Amino acid sequence: MDLIQYLVSGISIGSAYALIAIGFNLIYNATGIINFAQGEFVMLGGMGSVYFYHYLHFPLIFAILSGILLAGVTGILVERLSIRPIRDASILSLIIVTIGDSILIRGIAMLVWDKNSHALPSFSGDIPIRFLGAAVSPQYIWIIVVSIISMLLLGGFFRYTITGKAMLASSVDPVAARLVGINVERVTMYSFFISALFSGMAGALMTPVTLTSYDIGISLGLKGFAAAVVGGLGRMSGALVGGIILGIVESFSAGLISSGYKDAITFGLLLLFLYMRPQGIVGEIKAERV
Amino acid sequence: MLVVRNLEVFYGKLRAVKSLSFHVNEGEIVTIIGANGSGKTSTLRAISGIMVKTRGEIIFENERINGLPPHVIVNMGISHVPEGRRLFPNLTVRDNLLLGAYPYLKKNGDFSKIVKDRIEQVFAIFPRLKERSDQLAGTLSGGEQQMLAIGRALMSRPRLLLLDEPSMGLAPVIVNEIFKVIEELRKDMGVTILLVEQNARKALEISDRGYVLESGSLVYSGSSEELKKSKEIQRAYLGKSDFFE
Ligand SMILES: Nc1ncnc2c1ncn2[C@@H]1O[C@H](COP(=O)(O)OP(=O)(O)OP(=O)(O)O)[C@@H](O)[C@H]1O
Ligand SMILES: [Mg+2]
């Protein structure tokens, strides 16, 4: 049953894309910036885990957590060192700065580590699980389960904690947020941190199935961005919908046509949405209240 | 309580407020009136710290506050109800109120009993908000939004409340209701109030003193009685509102 296999791997890779898309959305909502360094957070999650596991010999779970944390801390550094000092600059300038950040982070990763591809062991071995007649690699299930749990936690964070609410408030009206006493700079920093954690998590989760390297952020960043646009930029539920659609489309096209077309299809979907439905699937057309 | 000396507020090169000096004593209701663009909002924004390009001195309870970030100023006891309400439309009425106590919640943890009591107190002042506590703020009527904006500002337990055109766009009945609440805030909670209004007649009715701004400069000041009697002010500010009433 190849179709079931494509479906499961599509949903799985798609939920990892959703994590990256959430990363884009968090920073977009906090600052209006499309962060071109988002893919580097994904890379750091993967390469960091590899480094802590293979070179520092951490146990797998700690290696992964450290890799994700490395991405998160880098998110904070990007905000503090490159965004905050020029916060009043135009959005376009800020976006260009993130392109610089991305080149810098990738360069440092290449120098500190290397140019090779690296793997991590699957979290619970490689013996396929039988599912509706198909053989599914357990790592795919790990990706789905961990992604869904983290998204639920993030949803709970926004709904039930005062910091989460302050984040929502700062994104709709930073001036009003300041007036009630929210330190908007601090909240923006949290957004970068969580954003980078989620993207780093995607990188660590995918490494056992897709491998990782210093430059993998370029393509995975694009995938996450496409997922965010397809779902509706800035929409958290959109990220999940967009990610899974993208994952399934990719997986079926790779299985039924050829894996060579995967990236072309991502691009095609991205352009299609930018032209035909820029607000995404979940988004609605913004009606400005006067 | 609040002393402003030679305040200047800039938007780029534009000087929106020019060498403005005034003060508010503890327990007073003080009104600033003035035509569109005379610098009323800019003055309030300077006091609460969201306008950073300022010159001169703003002193609150003997401490200089210009240059301090807004969240520090809120913590000192100044709350600002901005022009146009500026609620968080995607959050519920209750969450808007909750965020009004943000600095307090950050210090004391997310589930503070005191904050729940404060919410109940706001509901006691504005019972209509209680019925709508789980509704999104963006779906409230104009009057309810103004009530919520005031309620949110009260959540930080301010000693000085800055109100920017609370009557804007509201029906006369609602305006009366809001102004009655403003008077009660001073009487029952001891809040000092700096009120900015275009509805000069109503504002002078409830306030002790008033200042009149014209293109960023102070042109008159005096007790509300004096201002109401002044021929020039009647012609420039009170006549116009007669026409609309
Ligand atoms: N964001 C801004 N950028 C540039 N100029 C501004 C800005 N906000 C206000 N101004 C200018 O500053 C001056 C004072 O504006 P302000 O909003 O303080 O007046 P106001 O008395 O509150 O007016 P209104 O009664 O219309 O609310 C005006 O000339 C206005 O055009
Ligand atoms: Mg104004």
Side-chain angles (χ1 to χ4, degrees), chain B residues 35-42 44-45 83 164-165 168 196 198:
Chain B
N36 290 117
S38 55
K40 306 181 296 293
T41 297
S42 307
L44 293 192
R45 288 165 68 98
E83 184 175 76
D164 197 342
E165 301 207 35
M168 192 208 265
V196 157
Q198 299 239 12

Side-chain angles (χ1 to χ4, degrees), chain A residues 190-212:
Chain A
Y190 295 157
S191 296
F192 272 78
F193 179 61
I194 301 175
S195 161
L197 283 183
F198 270 66
S199 298
M201 193 186 323
L205 288 169
M206 284 200 287
T207 297
V209 288
T210 61
L211 306 187
T212 189

Side-chain angles (χ1 to χ4, degrees), chain A residues 66 90 123 142 149 156 178 255:
Chain A
S66 312
S90 71
F123 297 177
W142 273 107
I149 290 175
R178 286 200 164 85

Side-chain angles (χ1 to χ4, degrees), chain B residues 13-75:
Chain B
K13 282 215 156 67
L14 176 92
R15 196 156 55 122
V17 175
K18 296 158 196 157
S19 188
L20 173 65
S21 297
F22 68 96
H23 68 275
V24 181
N25 297 321
E26 180 142 24
E28 274 190 316
I29 298 183
V30 172
T31 296
I32 300 179
I33 54 182
N36 290 117
S38 55
K40 306 181 296 293
T41 297
S42 307
T43 303
L44 293 192
R45 288 165 68 98
I47 297 171
S48 55
I50 45 179
M51 285 297 305
V52 282
K53 283 198 75 182
T54 63
R55 237 187 256 154
E57 274 187 311
I58 304 172
I59 295 158
F60 179 65
E61 297 185 327
N62 303 318
E63 250 184 90
R64 198 186 143 115
I65 61 169
N66 29 349
L68 297 180
H71 63 268
V72 174
I73 293 177
V74 174
N75 250 331

Side-chain angles (χ1 to χ4, degrees), chain A:
Chain A
M1 283 298 281
D2 284 348
L3 293 185
I4 298 283
Q5 213 156 321
Y6 298 150
L7 190 66
V8 174
S9 69
I11 292 175
S12 173
I13 296 300
S15 33
Y17 292 164
L19 294 179
I20 307 171
I22 284 174
F24 273 103
N25 286 341
L26 282 165
I27 290 179
Y28 177 75
N29 287 345
T31 60
I33 301 174
I34 308 225
N35 172 29
F36 275 77
Q38 201 68 35
E40 309 319 318
F41 300 152
V42 184
M43 176 274 288
L44 287 171
M47 286 295 281
S49 303
V50 165
Y51 174 71
F52 290 116
Y53 182 72
H54 286 302
Y55 297 90
L56 299 186
H57 306 294
F58 284 21
L60 186 58
I61 173 80
F62 290 116
I64 287 163
L65 291 177
S66 312
I68 295 172
L69 197 62
L70 175 68
V73 171
T74 309
I76 292 181
L77 292 176
V78 164
E79 194 273 334
R80 291 298 292 256
L81 301 180
S82 76
I83 302 297
R84 193 180 300 192
I86 53 158
R87 190 63 196 95
D88 294 329
S90 71
I91 294 290
L92 185 62
S93 318
L94 293 170
I95 291 177
I96 290 169
V97 164
T98 69
I99 297 178
D101 291 335
S102 126
I103 295 170
L104 182 69
I105 296 170
R106 205 181 311 138
I108 293 175
M110 187 187 79
L111 291 175
V112 171
W113 295 317
D114 56 25
K115 292 186 172 181
N116 301 329
S117 285
H118 297 272
L120 276 180
S122 301
F123 297 177
S124 57
D126 289 309
I127 301 162
I129 297 172
R130 301 243 135 236
F131 177 71
L132 295 177
V136 176
S137 152
Q139 187 65 23
Y140 284 129
I141 308 298
W142 273 107
I143 298 177
I144 297 175
V145 170
V146 174
S147 304
I148 299 294
I149 290 175
S150 353
M151 286 181 225
L152 289 175
L153 286 176
L154 185 66
F157 170 72
F158 281 124
R159 190 153 312 150
Y160 299 113
T161 72
I162 190 71
T163 308
K165 286 169 188 177
M167 228 177 244
L168 293 177
S170 307
S171 72
V172 284
D173 192 338
V175 170
R178 286 200 164 85
L179 286 180
V180 297
I182 296 170
N183 183 343
V184 175
E185 283 72 30
R186 167 102 31 101
V187 165
T188 302
M189 190 181 85
Y190 295 157
S191 296
F192 272 78
F193 179 61
I194 301 175
S195 161
L197 283 183
F198 270 66
S199 298
M201 193 186 323
L205 288 169
M206 284 200 287
T207 297
V209 288
T210 61
L211 306 187
T212 189
S213 58
Y214 81 100
D215 60 353
I216 200 154
I218 302 174
S219 68
L220 289 180
L222 176 68
K223 300 289 167 63
F225 178 62
V229 168
V230 168
L233 202 56
R235 302 256 165 185
M236 293 303 166
S237 51
L240 182 58
V241 175
I244 290 196
I245 288 178
L246 193 61
I248 291 178
V249 168
E250 262 190 25
S251 158
F252 275 86
S253 65
L256 301 177
I257 310 168
S258 151
S259 64
Y261 293 114
K262 245 171 48 176
D263 291 351
I265 283 172
T266 306
F267 253 128
L269 211 59
L270 177 58
L271 292 179
L272 188 74
F273 268 83
L274 285 175
Y275 280 123
M276 310 289 290
R277 201 176 156 81
Q279 76 274 28
I281 291 179
V282 177
E284 51 208 86
I285 297 192
K286 266 197 198 136
E288 290 283 323
R289 263 186 87 118
V290 188

Side-chain angles (χ1 to χ4, degrees), chain B residues 84-228:
Chain B
R85 291 80 153 148
R86 302 192 86 142
L87 299 170
F88 305 119
N90 54 337
L91 297 177
T92 62
V93 168
R94 186 178 292 278
D95 282 349
N96 269 271
L97 291 176
L98 210 57
L99 283 171
Y102 182 80
Y104 185 88
L105 285 167
K106 271 316 241 189
K107 240 182 285 154
N108 298 281
D110 279 16
F111 305 98
S112 157
K113 162 106 177 51
I114 289 175
V115 170
K116 279 199 190 110
D117 292 345
R118 287 188 192 174
I119 291 182
E120 286 310 317
Q121 274 166 332
V122 170
F123 285 160
I125 301 171
F126 301 113
R128 275 208 260 172
L129 294 182
K130 183 168 187 149
E131 298 158 26
R132 291 166 175 73
S133 62
D134 294 321
Q135 197 172 317
L136 292 183
T139 64
L140 296 176
S141 75
E144 290 156 2
Q145 294 202 3
Q146 187 61 56
M147 294 173 192
L148 181 54
I150 295 175
R152 183 180 68 182
L154 292 175
M155 289 294 294
S156 63
R157 274 304 135 87
R159 273 164 296 135
L160 174 65
L161 188 64
L162 314 176
L163 287 165
D164 197 342
E165 301 207 35
S167 75
M168 192 208 265
L170 302 183
V173 205
I174 310 283
V175 174
N176 287 340
E177 204 177 313
I178 301 269
F179 273 76
K180 215 167 90 215
V181 167
I182 296 172
E183 281 188 290
E184 283 167 7
L185 288 179
R186 164 177 54 182
K187 203 162 65 202
D188 302 340
M189 297 175 75
V191 185
T192 306
I193 288 161
L194 178 57
L195 174 65
V196 157
E197 260 301 340
Q198 299 239 12
N199 191 336
R201 177 179 301 274
K202 279 237 97 68
L204 290 175
E205 256 168 41
I206 65 162
S207 54
D208 306 307
R209 291 188 300 115
Y211 293 90
V212 182
L213 282 186
E214 243 175 58
S215 37
S217 303
L218 187 65
V219 287
Y220 299 104
S221 66
S223 75
S224 300
E225 288 307 314
E226 284 163 12
L227 291 178
K228 270 192 282 191

